[in-house]
């Protein structure tokens, strides 16, 4: 079973990020869109009971049909600290992934990868500890600047860090609808990450991977509560 260490405090969490950040692989293109399997992961919280539920949903990349689903429920083991969210989510996400019988292929996180204040969001962290190719597709912008992309599906604009480095893209997945925010996690190029986000969003703004995982983790949390 894949596991991660729960830091004792914020300082240790940042030290772990600093150590693992250098293991992110940015030189591989990643799996081609529309082939093999692609897996969405997402989490839901019950703050009153200190519970977190995670879902992992495997889709056939060609048809977007659901191949397998898995969930896990656990207690939140790390406080909420901006920039360190992965330490709250990863243990339960990894438990859900480990429950799958199907190889997950590309993992799509509802969150960020390199487009993160410390350059090491959930998609990077998950990719490094599992070795799987991973991307982040977030619903909302974080701390980066970008120009508004064109209004047509497939239009994009660079997300830029303070030094001007491109760390992701605001990507229009549907005509005239607000963009999603795509960034590399591990073992995937940014061009390929955007191509996957488009392939996974034929009808709606949010990728089908995230839509399925979001619904499933919320259901798991209700049943646990």
């Amino acid at each position: 079973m894949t596991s991660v260490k729960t830091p004792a405090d914020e300082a240790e969490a940042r030290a772990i990020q600093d150590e693992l950040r250098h293991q992110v692989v940015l030189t591989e293109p990643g799996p081609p869109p529309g082939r093999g399997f692609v897996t969405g992961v997402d989490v839901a919280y019950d703050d009153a009971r200190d519970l977190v539920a995670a879902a992992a949903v495997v889709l056939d990349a060609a048809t977007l049909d659901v191949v397998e689903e898995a969930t896990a429920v656990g207690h939140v083991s790390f406080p909420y600290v901006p920039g360190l969210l992965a330490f709250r989510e990863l243990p339960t996400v990894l438990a859900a992934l480990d429950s799958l019988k199907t190889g997950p292929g590309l993992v799509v996180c509802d969150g960020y990868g390199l487009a993160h204040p410390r350059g090491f969001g959930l998609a990077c962290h998950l990719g490094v500890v599992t070795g799987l190719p991973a991307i982040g597709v977030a619903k909302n912008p974080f701390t980066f600047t970008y120009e508004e992309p064109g209004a047509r599906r497939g239009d994009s604009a660079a997300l830029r860090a303070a030094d001007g480095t491109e760390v992701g893209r605001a990507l229009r997945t549907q005509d005239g609808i607000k963009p999603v925010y795509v960034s590399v996690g591990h073992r995937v190029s940014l061009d390929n990450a955007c191509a996957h986000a488009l392939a996974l969003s034929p009808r709606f703004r949010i990728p089908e991977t995230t839509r399925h995982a979001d619904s499933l983790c919320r259901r798991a949390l209700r049943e646990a509560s």
Side-chain angles (χ1 to χ4, degrees):
M1 177 176 178
T2 308
S3 62
V4 290
K5 179 182 180 181
T6 299
D9 52 30
E10 293 180 32
E12 184 178 5
R14 292 191 178 94
I16 292 171
Q17 284 184 332
D18 290 340
E19 178 184 355
L20 295 180
R21 183 185 301 113
H22 303 293
Q23 299 179 36
V24 172
V25 174
L26 302 176
T27 56
E28 296 183 18
R35 299 184 191 175
F37 297 127
V38 59
T39 297
V41 296
D42 202 2
V43 300
Y45 290 97
D46 181 340
D47 292 324
R49 299 184 62 190
D50 205 33
L51 290 178
V52 57
V57 181
V58 183
L59 303 186
D60 181 313
T63 64
L64 301 185
D65 292 334
V66 174
V67 175
E68 188 181 358
E69 300 176 339
T71 61
V73 178
H75 287 280
V76 178
S77 57
F78 193 79
Y80 173 76
V81 180
L84 301 178
L85 190 62
F87 292 100
R88 288 169 60 86
E89 300 186 352
L90 261 181
T92 315
V93 168
L94 292 174
L97 283 171
D98 281 338
S99 297
L100 295 172
K101 297 180 176 63
T102 307
L106 174 77
V107 180
V108 181
C109 300
D110 179 23
Y112 288 93
L114 295 180
H116 177 271
R118 295 176 56 78
F120 196 73
L122 174 64
C124 294
H125 205 146
L126 185 149
V128 167
V129 300
T130 63
L132 295 168
I135 65 172
V137 182
K139 301 182 185 76
N140 300 300
F142 206 0
T143 59
F144 301 97
T145 60
Y146 66 96
E147 301 292 331
E148 190 69 16
R152 301 300 300 272
R153 170 178 161 86
D155 289 342
S156 66
L159 298 179
R160 303 230 176 245
D163 63 0
T165 303
E166 184 182 35
V167 292
R169 289 182 193 151
L171 175 68
R172 196 84 65 184
T173 55
Q174 299 296 323
D175 291 352
I177 302 298
K178 66 182 290 190
V180 294
Y181 304 89
V182 181
S183 56
V184 169
H186 185 60
R187 299 181 57 204
V188 184
S189 70
L190 182 54
D191 284 346
N192 202 15
C194 290
H196 276 286
L198 282 173
L200 293 167
S201 308
R203 296 180 297 156
F204 301 103
R205 171 180 175 246
I206 303 303
E208 290 300 297
T209 41
T210 300
R211 284 166 40 81
H212 283 289
D214 174 79
S215 175
L216 183 59
C217 68
R218 291 176 187 275
R219 185 167 77 237
L221 188 64
R222 288 195 302 270
E223 292 172 355
S225 300

